[in-house]
């Protein structure tokens, strides 16, 4: 292969782009210990996390898209939380914006390339489990990927991660969950069903998800978790329940409700994140 065509191929390879962006990030801000991806409604948690020492639009780095949904910031920050250096992604991109699985998990791959050995994936979700209430943080014990997609399809990953048949037996770290429960013993635990959206479910679909064993439903996280496990990162998943899933209460669903629940729970979930990071 000519130099030019091999270069073109590498530039199109999502793993290569992520490695480049992670290297660039390391050159700018140094190495980080843990990454945090903030979902919608989690913005208020930043204040409790630590001191934001750097921040830039995500699109400054190669491979990042501009997010489109209001309430999703689209920036990358460096946060000093006690002794730990946290790489903070404020806002993420979703499949429902028309992005590919590789685009959706780009931040995860960049975080790994920037030195992060663990990642905390947060989101806002609908509650299916009847013991949940809006404002409750729930630790993900497992997920059901109903997107029909994988971030590991497409080009073969480069060494040392060329095996793409990743084991997901313990997708969400038992150790990190134990730590989170020490910090906040009142958090819930449950299985997250990840769908493409952007429409919410019908009541019949929620009954199906319930029968499948899902406790939560949302439109993110599952592909990011798979990509992180592929890279050997330890994953903590936390949902903030912001609405009761369709057909399980008298209310209809709206996006404002999601943002309001986040406002109210901000300091609690912020303290949870900081507590986990301190004990990593
Ligand atoms: I917040 O009820 C939030 N995100 N699919 N269903 C789905 N995603 C959600 C929901 C919900 N609530």
């Amino acid at each position: 292969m000519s130099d030019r065509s091999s270069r073109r191929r590498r530039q199109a390879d999502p793993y290569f782009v992520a490695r480049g962006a992670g290297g660039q990030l390391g050159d700018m801000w140094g190495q980080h210990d843990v990454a945090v991806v903030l979902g919608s409604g989690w913005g208020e948690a930043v204040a409790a996390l630590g001191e934001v020492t750097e921040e830039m639009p995500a699109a400054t780095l190669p491979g990042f898209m501009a997010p489109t949904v209001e309430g999703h910031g689209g920036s990358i920050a460096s946060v000093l939380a006690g002794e730990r250096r946290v790489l903070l992604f404020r806002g993420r991109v979703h499949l429902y914006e028309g992005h590919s699985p590789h685009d959706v998990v780009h931040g995860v791959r960049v975080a790994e390339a920037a030195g992060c050995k663990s990642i905390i994936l947060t989101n806002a979700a609908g509650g299916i489990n009847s013991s949940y209430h809006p404002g409750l943080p729930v630790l993900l014990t497992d997920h059901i990927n109903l997107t029909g997609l994988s971030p590991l399809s497409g080009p073969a990953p480069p060494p040392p991660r060329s095996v793409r048949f990743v084991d997901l037996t313990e997708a969400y770290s038992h150790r990190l969950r134990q730590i989170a429960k020490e910090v906040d013993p009142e958090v819930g635990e449950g299985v997250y069903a990840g769908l493409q959206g952007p429409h919410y479910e019908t009541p019949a679909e929620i009954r199906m998800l319930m029968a499948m064993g899902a406790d939560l439903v949302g439109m993110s996280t599952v592909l990011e978790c798979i990509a992180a496990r592929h890279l050997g990162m330890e994953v903590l998943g936390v949902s903030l329940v912001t609405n009761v899933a369709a057909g399980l209460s008298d209310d209809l669903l709206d996006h404002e409700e999601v943002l309001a629940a986040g406002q109210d729970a901000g300091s609690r979930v912020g303290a949870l994140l900081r507590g986990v990071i301190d004990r990593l």
Side-chain angles (χ1 to χ4, degrees):
M1 207 184 333
S2 76
D3 277 2
R4 188 146 21 104
S5 78
S6 84
R7 187 158 158 263
R8 208 177 311 121
R9 204 167 90 183
R10 278 184 286 124
Q11 282 173 341
D13 179 321
Y15 300 99
F16 179 82
V17 176
R19 237 175 237 182
Q24 219 171 300
L25 194 56
D27 291 344
M28 291 167 69
W29 294 351
Q31 293 295 105
H32 289 75
D33 304 301
V34 51
V36 174
V37 179
L38 287 187
S40 46
W42 282 77
E44 303 296 315
V46 176
L49 203 55
E51 184 201 345
V52 177
T53 55
E54 311 275 2
E55 184 151 20
M56 65 183 171
T60 310
L61 293 175
F64 283 99
M65 314 283 136
T68 60
V69 178
E70 239 180 285
H72 293 223
S75 75
I76 303 179
S78 182
V79 179
L80 195 59
E83 310 270 277
R84 297 268 142 70
R85 300 211 52 200
V86 182
L87 193 60
L88 179 67
F89 294 86
R90 303 172 89 153
R92 53 155 62 89
V93 296
H94 299 87
L95 292 171
Y96 62 71
E97 294 167 281
H99 300 303
S100 72
H102 286 290
D103 292 337
V104 167
V105 306
H106 183 61
V108 174
R109 291 179 175 150
V110 170
E112 192 267 345
C116 299
K117 302 275 182 262
S118 45
I119 187 161
I120 304 178
L121 301 172
T122 72
N123 61 55
I128 296 176
N129 187 315
S130 62
S131 74
Y132 299 163
H133 56 84
L136 180 73
V138 178
L139 308 175
L140 274 57
T141 56
D142 205 344
H143 75 217
I144 303 175
N145 174 12
L146 292 172
T147 66
L149 298 167
S150 172
L152 302 178
S153 54
R161 297 281 171 190
S162 24
V163 175
R164 59 168 124 204
F165 305 104
V166 56
D167 183 281
L168 294 176
T169 310
E170 192 185 328
Y172 298 88
S173 161
H174 185 262
R175 184 181 85 90
L176 295 186
R177 258 181 359 248
Q178 292 308 114
I179 294 173
K181 285 190 278 186
E182 280 168 30
V183 175
D184 187 340
E186 304 300 313
V187 292
E189 287 191 283
V191 174
Y192 178 93
L195 283 70
Q196 285 212 35
H199 52 275
Y200 292 122
E201 296 68 36
T202 64
E205 287 166 343
I206 293 299
R207 292 193 297 273
M208 174 191 77
L209 295 172
M210 198 185 283
M212 280 179 163
D215 298 296
L216 300 153
V217 58
M219 305 174 192
S220 67
T221 306
V222 294
L223 300 185
E224 292 154 85
C225 172
I226 294 167
R229 295 302 297 142
H230 169 245
L231 297 171
M233 300 169 93
E234 227 179 344
V235 179
L236 179 68
V238 193
S239 289
L240 184 62
V241 175
T242 52
N243 61 276
V244 175
L248 301 180
S249 87
D250 297 333
D251 301 341
L252 297 179
L253 308 185
D254 75 278
H255 190 65
E256 293 306 312
E257 185 182 24
V258 173
L259 300 179
Q263 291 263 334
D264 297 345
S267 60
R268 180 179 184 184
V269 294
L272 174 62
L273 294 183
R274 175 59 191 265
V276 170
I277 289 164
D278 284 342
R279 291 165 180 76
L280 278 178

